[in-house]
Every structure is written in structure tokens, then in C-alpha cells.
Amino acid sequence: MIRFRKYILNEKLADKLAFEHTIDREVVKFLLRRNKIDLLPFIKGNIPLYLEFENINNLTASAKFIKGVIDNNFKTLIIYDSDLDGYGAFRITYDIFLENNYSKNINYKMFWHNIPIFTAQDAQKVKSEGYEAVILLDMGQSSNEGLEILSENNIRTLVVDHHKQDFEKVQNIIYLTPNKKKNVSMSTGGLVYFLKRQFHRMKNEKFAQQYIIFDTETTGFKAKFNDITEIAAYKIEGGEIISYFHSYLKTDRKIPSEITQITGIDNNLLEEKGKDPEKVMTLFKKFIGDLPIVAHNVNFDISFINEYFKRYGIPSVNNMLYDTVIMSRNYFKGLGSYALSSLVESLHLYKGPYHRATDDTQALYRLFLELLKKICNIRNRHNDSSLLIYYLTTYSDRMRIEGLNYLFLRDINKHFDFSEILHDRSYSSYLLNSYYTINKLLPVLNSKFRNEEFNELDRFFYERKIQLGFKKGTSSLAKIKDNNLGKDLNPNGKVKVVIIDRNMNEKRGMIASLLSKTNDVPALVLIKKDPMIGSSRFVGGDILPFFQENPELFESYGGHNKAVGFTISPSNIPELIERLEIWYGNLETQSDDIFYYDDLLPVTHVKKEVLKLINYMAPYDKNFPPPVFLDTNIVIRKIRHFGAKGKSLLIEFSKNQETFYGLSLYNWSPTMDINENKTYKILYTPLEKLMDEKRVLFIHKLVNM
């Protein structure tokens, strides 16, 4: 069930924020509606570095992996998924090696089994061919047997994957993944884009080296007469936190009430959680080693540390010291206060709480990264082909443009001349096809078309007559039915389970998507083998939880929320169908989606998918016209399929003797017979576009009359 609640925009807050950030009021309102107000300080391009490390795991280890391959001339194999995200991730990865004049010892291929799973047999092939390093891009779960063989044979391995499910980590394998604790929506191409940024940053020795960032809480202000009550420290490398130290320390002194009021630390807390100071300081000395030390007013904290070291016969600190107070005065001039809380809030890096060692170390870490950016002259973004591929893969996997994606991709059209890209032979038709589709979303994102580029793209595809999927106008499902290539295994149930002929193997994912989209239920497509190979899709929800709840049914599985590939014994198929029916039945009764709307985002006649489109893609510089049904029926004159798998339409139609153009993105269902000179009713949104002096409508739905 979908429920709607009206969202009341706070006009006064919008005015206040627009004034404070000197940003157009409509931009502020756009972010307020989408609960993205935390992004406001960074709209103008000063993207804080901590966001990359907070949202992505193992950037530094992955960059060091790439450097190790190049420095040691390892024979390396890059294996990638066959979809656009996997291919785009491969392109960026390969470009990293090309830019560093290292390509002779690099080979690449797609996954062996048409699903992104790395088996034990695959690992044996890699071993027998003498590879010393492997990079796996857009790989699903159920690959542990293969990865364990690589690990046992000391074949260096990097796995890059955007799926949010937990991997069962194999020892000595590096996993570059989104942080599962954050609500991160990141394509594999996006992950490799940020890997490329980190690889370039790590070339700067000052940035790449390790640092200790720490803070203490004390009973007073003089080291000789007061004690440390809490200590926290990060060890960072290449800007990323690689280890953490924290402890409360016991003390015989009574903590003054004014200190407790500031820090919240009292004697009862230390009695319960405090550790022996000598043991803590011995461990802390080992933790810091001889690494450079960073603190805010560093001499204050070091004076306490040295007093403790002296007390317990530990050699005093002789490390390089960095004081972020002094550094901030040099690089962030003109601020009213250089207290830690004032600094990080002025720079929009941290909002508190403060005055606990753990909290202040977090604030200090974010501040120090911005100082490193200044010292090392680090750019906010790389406006090269990798940024474009990040953009394409984000849309190809229907990732949300929010958070880190929003900051890097919101102004994509400002960083590229798309007309030039068409003539750049380094872009394969694979990427260009997707770009052609995605370009149609730009009017929704930016509330404008670029006429010349639109026409040039159109000519490009007409001239090359690129064929995608089956012949234009032919349904893959119809082809299966007409040629007796498949069988419905669950004709009387709700969920769709179909077995198809082996020669349709490469189409099974697309067929599963079409079945799910057409029937609005989970769909499984199986290939006649033993074990059976299958693809599952659930366009209206997440199907991965079903596999996680029933792992004993499958020999292997891997994928993400809406799409999972798997292998299964034929004897388990009846049990699979029964469990999937029960699981989907329970899911239907639990569904309770809540959508917020306001006068600019009405919900009348709007399906869930359309509402999401409005919510995430509406332009912020003016009102987004809601989808409505055209008041009269239309007659289609010409039909053109384009984009990935030909699932999008460009049509010419007439209404009351007037000719219009219509765009429909991803929504075309091949099971629906769309023909020229037939009458339809359309759910549409008008766009600000004239093509050949005729209006263009953004079509959400065609209803056959």
C-alpha cells in the first residue's frame, strides 16, 4: 500500500539558507524537499574530502594495490561484468594503467559464465596462465571458493563491487565497496572513479604518508597537576583512517564539576570504564611509533602525554608535530575564531558534539584533510572521461543522484562538450548508446535541451544503424513464445518462473526484467542445464533478501537488490517456486511505502516509479510539471527505438492535426504492441524543447485504445 503525506515547505527557512549560503532560493527549496540540505555548503564545488573516505571502504589499500602492480610489473588480469557498469569500471581501471604507461602486461575479459561469479574453476585458469594479480569488477556474491584459491596461491586480488550486501571476506583480498553503514548508492564505475582520484593523490608523498591524529580530555589545564581522563587517536594513510585507538584512564584525582559539565566525564564513569594509565600509555606509544602527530593546539596535548611517559619511564615524544591551529590560521584566513568547534562549523565539516576525545578527533580528522588538500593542491574533481563514465554507470544501474553522487555529478553538462564526445573514437558504441539514452534525462535534470547536440546524436545513431536486442518492434517474450523456446513453470501462480532454451542464454537477464516489469512481480528465468543457470529480477522491489533467506536452495548466487544471478539443482526447482510464492505473498501484505508531496510535486495519477523520477530528477530552477493524461487521444506516425536494449522510444504523433514528438525512457514494454497509425492515450510531462519547431512531451505511459 502506498500512503501519501503532504510536505509543507518552510519558506522562512528557505529564505534564511539562501541568504546564508548566497545560493538561489529555488536551489535551496529543491534540496529542502529532498532532505539534502546538508549538501548546501558544497554546492559551489568545495567538496570535503572526508566524504569520499566515509562512504567508500579501502580506497588507500586499493590505490596501493594498483601502484604495486605497476611498480613490480605484475602480470595482471582484469575481469569485469558484461553490463554497462562493469564495462565502464573496466574502462576507468584500464585508463589508470594507460596513463602510467603500463599496459603490456595487462589482459582483460568478461566473467566466464555470463553472471558475475568467480568460481574455483576460474581461479584455476588464472593460476595456470601465470597471473600474479587479478582485479574483479562488479562481482556478485558466492565467489569465495575462487577467491580462496587466489589467496592460497598468493595471487594478489582486488574486488570492486557496488552491491550493499555483506561479502564473506576472504583473507588477503582487498574489497573496494561502499560503506554498508552508510546509505550509499554507488555504481562500480563510480567506485573506480574515486579509486583513480585516490591513486593520483597518493603520488604526493606528503598526502600518502601516515599520520596520527589525536585528542585528549583532562581534569585541568596544567600537565603537572592534572590527569588525562580520555584519549582517542586515528592512524591515517593517504587520508583514510586505517586504525583507531581509544581508552578512558583511571585517576585518583577528583574531577572538577566544571570539567564534568563540559565533557560529561566524572569519577563514576572512570571507575567503571577506566583502564590502568601505564598500560594505556605503553599501548599508545606503540600505536604512534615515530609517525607525525596532528592535534589542535598540539603542545597542550603533548605536554600531558610526555608527563605520563616520564611517570612510567617511556621515552618522550620526539615525533614531527603538526598544530592545526597554526595551519588553519595560514590556510583559512579571516575567521573570527580558530577554536576547533568554530573552525569545523565555519567550514561545514562537523556539527558536534564536542569535548569528548572521540568526537573531537573526528572533527580534527575532517579539518586536517582539508588542510592536506590545501598543502598538496588537490583538485575537487577530475573532469576527464572517467567522470563521464561515472555519470553513465550511475544512471545505467539506476543509482540515486544524492550524497556523494550529487556533489560530483550535478553539473556534469558543464564539464563536457558532448558534441565532441560523439567524434571521439575512444568511446565505444556500448558507452555511447547509454549516453544517448541518458542524454534524454538532461532536460529533466537541467530543465533544458541542447538542440544541436540532440540532432547530432540522432544522426549519429541513424547513420550507424546500431541494432540493440532483437529486431526493432519485436518482443523477446513474443519471440520465445512464437518459436517454442521457453516454458512457464508456474502458470497458475503469481511469480513468474520460466525455463528457456540454451541459445537464449545471453538474453535471460533482459527476459527476467521484461517479465517482472510487465507483470509487476518477481521473475526467474532458467537455462536448461545441470546445474541450472538462472537470472532473477524484481523491478518493483528487492529480491536479494529472498536468496539470503534461502541459501540452501542454491549452489551459488550473486548480484544486488533487484537483480541476482544463481545456479540451482533441477531437483530444487519445485521447492524454489513454492518458497518464492510464500515470500512474495508475505511481502505484498507488508508493503507500506510513504511518499511526501507538496503543491509542486502532486501525486494524482502518478505511479510509484513516476513519483520517484520526480523526487530525484526534478529541475530545481523552476517548477517541474506533474505527469497528466493528455485530454485527447493521439495517433502515432513514426516510431524509433533507442538506448540500451532498445527499451526507450522516440515517437512522432499527431493530435487535432498538430504534430508532436514524444520521448519515453526505459519504460517501453516489448509485450505491448506499439504500432504506427494506431490510437493511444498518453500520460506525459511537457518539456522545454522544440524540435523542428514542434513540442516534445516526456511520456510516462502509453495506453492502447
Side-chain angles (χ1 to χ4, degrees):
M1 185 178 79
I2 300 176
R3 294 186 291 132
F4 300 101
R5 293 179 183 173
K6 184 158 184 174
Y7 170 75
I8 308 300
L9 184 69
N10 188 331
E11 299 284 353
K12 288 186 177 179
L13 178 60
D15 289 338
K16 178 176 180 289
L17 292 171
F19 177 77
E20 288 178 353
H21 295 281
T22 61
I23 292 174
D24 186 271
R25 187 172 182 275
E26 294 305 316
V27 177
V28 174
K29 289 168 69 175
F30 170 85
L31 294 170
L32 273 174
R33 280 194 188 88
R34 290 150 184 83
N35 195 28
K36 296 179 181 176
I37 209 64
D38 287 346
L39 303 179
L40 261 179
F42 317 120
I43 291 297
K44 294 184 177 179
N46 183 27
I47 304 170
L49 197 52
Y50 80 86
L51 286 174
E52 296 181 39
F53 299 117
E54 187 178 85
N55 285 280
I56 302 170
N57 296 321
N58 296 321
L59 275 172
T60 295
S62 302
K64 290 172 70 176
F65 177 95
I66 300 293
K67 185 176 186 300
V69 166
I70 295 171
D71 291 348
N72 295 286
N73 195 31
F74 290 141
K75 183 180 179 182
T76 302
L77 177 63
I78 303 173
I79 308 174
Y80 58 94
D81 193 8
S82 60
D83 65 5
L84 182 70
D85 191 23
Y87 177 74
F90 156 68
R91 279 292 307 273
I92 299 176
T93 306
Y94 194 62
D95 284 349
I96 296 174
F97 290 114
L98 286 179
E99 290 170 5
N100 289 273
N101 300 314
Y102 187 81
S103 59
K104 292 180 180 179
N105 227 3
I106 301 286
N107 292 314
Y108 48 88
K109 72 177 303 301
M110 291 186 287
F111 280 95
W112 278 273
H113 313 287
N114 293 311
I115 52 175
I117 292 177
F118 186 72
T119 67
Q121 291 79 9
D122 301 336
Q124 293 295 350
K125 290 179 185 177
V126 169
K127 177 185 172 184
S128 66
E129 293 176 16
Y131 285 103
E132 300 168 280
V134 177
I135 301 173
L136 297 153
L137 302 172
D138 204 12
M139 185 196 76
Q141 280 184 322
S142 303
S143 296
N144 280 10
E145 288 186 8
L147 295 177
E148 284 169 356
I149 291 173
L150 296 183
S151 177
E152 290 166 2
N153 288 275
N154 297 316
I155 299 173
R156 299 152 188 85
T157 306
L158 170 64
V159 174
V160 186
D161 190 83
H162 69 84
H163 303 136
K164 291 183 181 178
Q165 73 265 23
D166 289 331
F167 284 99
E168 296 175 29
K169 299 291 172 36
V170 175
Q171 191 175 6
N172 300 324
I173 305 293
I174 299 171
Y175 295 87
L176 181 65
T177 57
N179 184 347
K180 68 178 186 294
K181 295 179 182 178
K182 301 287 182 181
N183 186 22
V184 187
S185 182
M186 181 73 64
S187 65
T188 306
L191 290 169
V192 180
Y193 171 79
F194 288 105
L195 167 58
K196 182 178 181 180
R197 286 171 56 80
Q198 181 68 353
F199 179 78
H200 284 295
R201 290 190 292 248
M202 294 281 285
K203 290 181 179 181
N204 187 306
E205 291 184 9
K206 201 169 191 69
F207 184 88
Q209 72 178 89
Q210 294 185 356
Y211 296 90
I212 300 294
I213 299 173
F214 90 109
D215 185 66
T216 60
E217 298 300 329
T218 65
T219 60
F221 302 105
K222 294 186 178 180
K224 285 189 177 183
F225 307 107
N226 291 280
D227 287 345
I228 297 173
T229 56
E230 183 187 17
I231 184 170
Y234 292 159
K235 183 181 293 181
I236 71 169
E237 181 179 14
E240 184 174 14
I241 299 168
I242 58 172
S243 57
Y244 175 66
F245 184 96
H246 175 257
S247 183
Y248 293 104
L249 283 74
K250 289 186 180 294
T251 178
D252 295 329
R253 301 181 193 274
K254 179 171 175 55
I255 300 175
S257 58
E258 58 269 22
I259 296 295
T260 299
Q261 191 172 357
I262 295 171
T263 65
I265 298 173
D266 58 20
N267 289 97
N268 291 334
L269 174 66
L270 298 187
E271 185 64 31
E272 179 186 352
K273 297 184 177 181
K275 301 291 192 299
D276 175 49
E278 183 175 3
K279 290 182 179 178
V280 172
M281 287 300 152
T282 302
L283 290 172
F284 185 66
K285 177 65 175 178
K286 184 178 180 180
F287 182 79
I288 65 175
D290 59 357
L291 296 176
I293 292 176
V294 180
H296 205 67
N297 196 359
V298 67
N299 289 332
F300 172 83
D301 295 281
I302 289 297
S303 67
F304 275 85
I305 296 297
N306 277 334
E307 187 65 31
Y308 272 77
F309 281 5
K310 179 180 177 182
R311 187 184 303 174
Y312 300 117
I314 301 170
S316 62
V317 173
N318 196 30
N319 304 44
M320 172 77 75
L321 302 180
Y322 289 91
D323 191 337
T324 51
V325 175
I326 297 171
M327 296 170 72
S328 297
R329 290 185 187 278
N330 289 334
Y331 288 101
F332 303 118
K333 297 182 184 295
L335 298 179
S337 169
Y338 288 87
L340 181 60
S341 58
S342 298
L343 257 173
V344 292
E345 289 189 15
S346 297
L347 299 171
H348 305 287
L349 299 173
Y350 186 77
K351 294 181 178 179
Y354 302 103
H355 304 302
R356 290 294 282 268
T358 49
D359 298 325
D360 288 356
T361 301
Q362 173 70 4
L364 184 58
Y365 163 67
R366 295 182 181 186
L367 173 63
F368 184 62
L369 288 186
E370 295 311 296
L371 290 165
L372 271 182
K373 272 172 62 177
K374 297 279 189 181
I375 294 167
C376 301
N377 194 27
I378 292 171
R379 289 186 292 168
N380 264 312
R381 75 183 83 218
H382 292 85
N383 300 330
D384 57 13
S385 62
S386 60
L387 181 63
L388 177 63
I389 295 171
Y390 171 19
Y391 169 70
L392 296 178
T393 56
T394 297
Y395 274 116
S396 76
D397 265 21
R398 300 173 297 282
M399 300 294 177
R400 295 176 178 177
I401 298 295
E402 59 184 10
L404 207 59
N405 287 338
Y406 182 77
L407 293 175
F408 277 85
L409 301 180
R410 68 183 188 278
D411 293 326
I412 188 76
N413 58 309
K414 294 181 181 177
H415 304 295
F416 293 99
D417 184 337
F418 287 114
S419 297
E420 289 183 6
I421 290 169
L422 292 176
H423 306 293
D424 184 347
R425 295 298 177 184
S426 67
Y427 285 90
S428 70
S429 60
Y430 197 1
L431 283 173
L432 277 172
N433 283 336
S434 179
Y435 164 67
Y436 182 63
T437 301
I438 289 165
N439 184 52
K440 304 306 178 287
L441 286 175
L442 288 176
V444 183
L445 287 166
N446 302 309
S447 191
K448 65 182 180 183
F449 265 106
R450 290 179 293 277
N451 291 302
E452 184 179 340
E453 291 165 16
F454 179 92
N455 294 329
E456 193 166 351
L457 279 163
D458 214 36
R459 286 194 298 274
F460 178 87
F461 283 92
Y462 270 123
E463 288 168 5
R464 287 158 180 75
K465 298 178 181 177
I466 294 174
Q467 298 289 328
L468 299 168
F470 296 111
K471 292 181 180 179
K472 295 178 181 179
T474 302
S475 162
S476 57
L477 297 180
K479 184 171 181 178
I480 292 170
K481 184 177 179 181
D482 294 344
N483 294 282
N484 195 29
L485 297 176
K487 179 182 179 182
D488 189 348
L489 300 182
N490 191 34
N492 300 317
K494 286 188 176 180
V495 299
K496 293 296 177 184
V497 182
V498 174
I499 186 168
I500 61 175
D501 197 77
R502 288 189 185 189
N503 62 13
M504 301 290 289
N505 184 31
E506 293 184 1
K507 303 292 183 184
R508 68 177 188 276
M510 180 180 70
I511 294 164
S513 295
L514 295 172
L515 282 168
S516 178
K517 185 168 187 176
T518 303
N519 298 281
D520 200 25
V521 296
L524 275 62
V525 174
L526 300 159
I527 300 295
K528 297 175 183 176
K529 293 183 72 174
D530 189 5
M532 287 184 161
I533 298 174
S535 291
S536 65
R537 299 291 189 272
F538 187 14
V539 175
D542 293 343
I543 198 167
L544 177 63
F546 172 75
F547 288 83
Q548 293 172 327
E549 293 166 17
N550 300 278
E552 67 279 3
L553 285 177
F554 307 97
E555 295 194 7
S556 64
Y557 72 89
H560 56 86
N561 295 354
K562 296 181 184 299
V564 178
F566 61 93
T567 56
I568 186 171
S569 169
S571 61
N572 284 345
I573 296 299
E575 181 76 9
L576 167 67
I577 295 173
E578 182 178 347
R579 289 197 198 181
L580 187 59
E581 282 284 356
I582 294 170
W583 178 82
Y584 179 61
N586 292 335
L587 194 69
E588 280 189 306
T589 61
Q590 297 169 4
S591 178
D592 190 20
D593 294 316
I594 299 175
F595 290 104
Y596 291 85
Y597 70 97
D598 60 18
D599 293 336
L600 294 182
L601 300 176
V603 294
T604 309
H605 301 303
V606 177
K607 288 180 65 178
K608 180 178 177 180
E609 293 81 5
V610 178
L611 192 67
K612 283 185 176 180
L613 178 73
I614 296 171
N615 189 38
Y616 294 117
M617 299 182 181
Y620 53 64
D621 56 348
K622 54 190 65 184
N623 297 355
F624 183 72
V628 294
F629 278 102
L630 199 63
D631 53 357
T632 59
N633 298 336
I634 59 102
V635 177
I636 293 180
R637 300 302 183 199
K638 294 179 183 177
I639 302 173
R640 164 89 193 287
H641 297 282
F642 66 89
K645 308 299 183 187
K647 289 188 287 187
S648 298
L649 295 175
L650 172 61
I651 63 175
E652 181 180 300
F653 62 89
S654 62
K655 185 195 84 166
N656 299 336
Q657 308 302 315
E658 185 181 358
T659 301
F660 294 80
Y661 287 107
L663 292 171
S664 177
L665 302 180
Y666 307 115
N667 294 323
W668 176 59
S669 171
T671 57
M672 178 181 173
D673 190 17
I674 301 176
N675 292 310
E676 296 175 4
N677 299 316
K678 277 199 172 184
T679 304
Y680 299 87
K681 193 174 186 66
I682 64 171
L683 179 68
Y684 79 102
T685 295
L687 294 176
E688 296 182 5
K689 163 68 180 173
L690 287 177
M691 191 168 79
D692 300 332
E693 299 183 352
K694 299 176 182 66
R695 288 171 58 202
V696 174
L697 305 182
F698 184 58
I699 299 174
H700 299 287
K701 189 175 182 181
L702 281 167
V703 181
N704 195 334
M705 301 304 292

